[in-house]
Structure formats: C-alpha cells, structure tokens
Amino acid sequence: MKNFKIMVLLFSPFLVAWVSIFFGAYAMTPVTVLKVILNHFVSIDHYGDIPERAIIVDVRLPRVILAGVVGAALSGSGTVLQGIFRNPLVDPFILGISAGAAFGCALSVGFLSALPVQIMAFAFASLAVLLAYVTARTQGEVSRLPLILSGVIVSAFFTALVSIVKFVVDPYKLQSIVYWLMGSFSLADWKMVRIAASGIAIGLTPVVIMRWRLNLISMGDEEAKALGVNIQRDRLVFVSCTTLAAATAVSVCGIIGWVGLMVPHLVRTLVGPDHRILLPLSLTAGASFMIAADTVARTLSSIDIPVGIITALTGAPFFIYLVKKGVREAWGK
C-alpha cells in the first residue's frame, strides 16, 4: 500500500498538469492538446497554425510548468525547514523571506521601476534571511529557537517598511503592489519559467542530495552531534539552499502562502518521516497541489483570481486542524 502511495505521489504532477491544460476560458479536448504538443516534435497536419496552439504553448503550458516548479520549491523548502526545526508549523516564510520579498517588490513598483521586480524581491528576501541568521548567531552558534524568533522579528520589520511604502506611494502603483502580494501566475511566460527553474534547481539540488542528513538533524542537536554531524555547517547549507529556492519562487509569482506548511505535513502522514522518501515526494506533491490550485484560480470565475487567495482559503482550515490535533508529529518515532 505504501509503494502505491509513493507511485501516485511521484507521478501526480504529470497527470494534474495534463488535465489542467484542458481547462480555461477556452475549453479544449485532450486530443487537440496532445496533437499541438506533439507538433513540436513531429509535424501533424495543420496543427502548427491553429489558434489553440498559441493558447496551449504560449499561455497555458508555461503557466502550468511555472506553477509546478514554484509549488515544488515551496513544498520542498517547507519539508527541509520543518525537519531542521523539528516543528510541523514551520514554513519557508518563517525566516522573513516573504516580508523581505514584499519590500523588494514595493520598492521596485513604487520608486525603482528601472529595476525588475524579480531581482528586487529576490535580493531583499535573501537580505531578510541573512539578517535573521546574523541576529540569531550568539557565541558562534545558531540555535533553532533564536533563529525562528529572529525570523519573526525581521518579518515584522520588513512588513512595517512595506506599510510605509504603501502609505506614501502613488495609488495606481499601490494597486500593483497589493496584487503582487496576493500571488499569481497570470504573467507567466517561458522566460519566467527558465528563471524560476534555474534558481530553484540550484537551490534544491544540494538539498535532495544531502536529504539523508535531515534524518540525523531532526533527531535533535545533541543526538546529531553524538553521531558526528556538524550541526552548524549543515543547518547553514540547508537554510541557504532553501532560501535560494523559496526566494526565487516568490520573486517570479509573488507571495503564495501555506503550501510549504500543508503539503509536507500531508505527505509525512502518508509515507512517514524518512526524508530520503519524504523530500522527493514533497516536491512532486507540492507541484501537483500548486498546479491544481492555479487551475481553480483561473477557471473559478471570468476573472483571474490570485492563486494566493485559493491557497489561503485551503490553508487556514488546515492550520486549525493541526492546532486541534495538538500538532502531534512522529519525528522518526
């Protein structure tokens, strides 16, 4: 039964992505989608010139792929951080990533329009995590609790700065800032897919290779040190890599919350806490969840609803469920 669950989670992104391409304001049949995609490899009749080609290749396909890549990044980052901090309520934004990225976006839209939103969001998201890490570093070490508290402090600081920018900025620019903060894939294109895929691959590849070490770290600092693990070094590597992945994801689509909290927890309940299996499956499950959420966001009404609203509506009840459950987690037990 466990092997069946693993196979389903492993291949779910491809099935969900395939189905999601059919849906939209312009409905399409699976045969049409298949022929348009195959036409890129083998010429099929007149399918290179039909209107559906532009919709599938230039609009829906990059959006679906971008949603999957971002979902994998947020879910994978959440899995790593929950393992490091041994807390199922930790998500990729706990270290100030979202607040820093939001401030970078607000600056770009409001005052520095010459600088791309993606670059500014990524730069300030990375700066926020760096500040949190430096603040938490005492006597040459960085412990779990001080790092979380530092992240909360840095988030509050950058959130205040965002509020200042929103207060003084032009009302028309304010609208763009608010929409970006909701999170959306409406501007997805192939260039954005390449940017996101490159940054996220660089960030998550070392994490996937080293995922077995998360099992040791999640046992606790003392136990891990007794087994010869360099806690400070490994924690720095994992935090840096997940920051790169999450910040890249935020920079291309805005702030989309709850994915890094919900998906790792659900996958853990299905396959257990072994990160050698948990992390890869969290990546695929996160991609599937994000593609499905974005499909709902763009088909639920005649307007394109920001996907961050859909994930928030899903995540809030899930968080209540975790609290009611008592947040009982089996970290290797």
Side-chain angles (χ1 to χ4, degrees), residues 90-164:
V90 170
D91 73 353
F93 299 144
I94 192 67
L95 299 180
I97 293 175
S98 61
F103 180 62
C105 164
L107 279 182
S108 176
V109 174
F111 306 106
L112 303 173
S113 56
L115 296 175
V117 171
Q118 290 83 6
I119 293 178
M120 292 292 286
F122 175 76
F124 280 93
S126 302
L127 176 62
V129 175
L130 179 62
L131 289 176
Y133 201 87
V134 171
T135 303
R137 189 176 183 84
T138 57
Q139 298 179 351
E141 294 188 357
V142 179
S143 301
R144 290 185 295 118
L145 182 57
L147 189 55
I148 293 177
L149 294 177
S150 298
V152 172
I153 294 171
V154 171
S155 293
F157 174 72
F158 277 106
T159 300
L161 293 179
V162 171
S163 298
I164 294 174

Side-chain angles (χ1 to χ4, degrees), residues 241-320:
C241 290
T242 53
T243 296
L244 174 60
T248 302
V250 170
S251 70
V252 296
C253 64
I255 297 175
I256 300 176
W258 299 99
V259 179
L261 172 66
M262 290 189 295
V263 176
H265 186 86
L266 291 173
V267 175
R268 191 180 293 110
T269 60
L270 292 174
V271 301
D274 186 352
H275 287 87
R276 293 174 298 177
I277 300 174
L278 174 61
L279 182 57
L281 294 183
S282 292
L283 295 176
T284 58
S288 301
F289 175 80
M290 186 62 79
I291 294 171
D294 184 56
T295 302
V296 173
R298 63 183 172 83
T299 59
L300 195 60
S301 68
S302 58
I303 61 174
D304 198 332
I305 301 173
V307 69
I309 295 176
I310 303 298
T311 59
L313 290 174
T314 307
F318 182 79
F319 188 84
I320 294 174

Side-chain angles (χ1 to χ4, degrees), residues 21 23 28 51-66 185-190 193 294 298 304:
I21 297 177
F23 294 95
M28 299 183 191
E52 287 85 349
R53 180 195 174 280
I55 298 175
I56 295 172
V57 176
D58 299 328
V59 179
R60 293 188 185 175
L61 200 55
R63 179 164 180 164
V64 167
I65 294 175
L66 183 63
F185 296 105
S186 60
L187 300 179
D189 56 22
W190 287 112
V193 169
D294 184 56
R298 63 183 172 83
D304 198 332

Side-chain angles (χ1 to χ4, degrees), residues 29-116:
T29 64
V31 175
T32 301
V33 174
L34 180 61
K35 287 186 176 181
V36 168
I37 294 177
L38 289 178
N39 186 71
H40 279 270
F41 305 97
V42 180
S43 179
I44 302 177
D45 299 331
H46 62 287
Y47 276 86
D49 302 318
I50 60 175
E52 287 85 349
R53 180 195 174 280
I55 298 175
I56 295 172
V57 176
D58 299 328
V59 179
R60 293 188 185 175
L61 200 55
R63 179 164 180 164
V64 167
I65 294 175
L66 183 63
V69 170
V70 168
L74 297 178
S75 178
S77 299
T79 302
V80 172
L81 294 177
Q82 287 176 13
I84 291 175
F85 298 121
R86 303 180 66 210
N87 188 335
L89 299 183
V90 170
D91 73 353
F93 299 144
I94 192 67
L95 299 180
I97 293 175
S98 61
F103 180 62
C105 164
L107 279 182
S108 176
V109 174
F111 306 106
L112 303 173
S113 56
L115 296 175

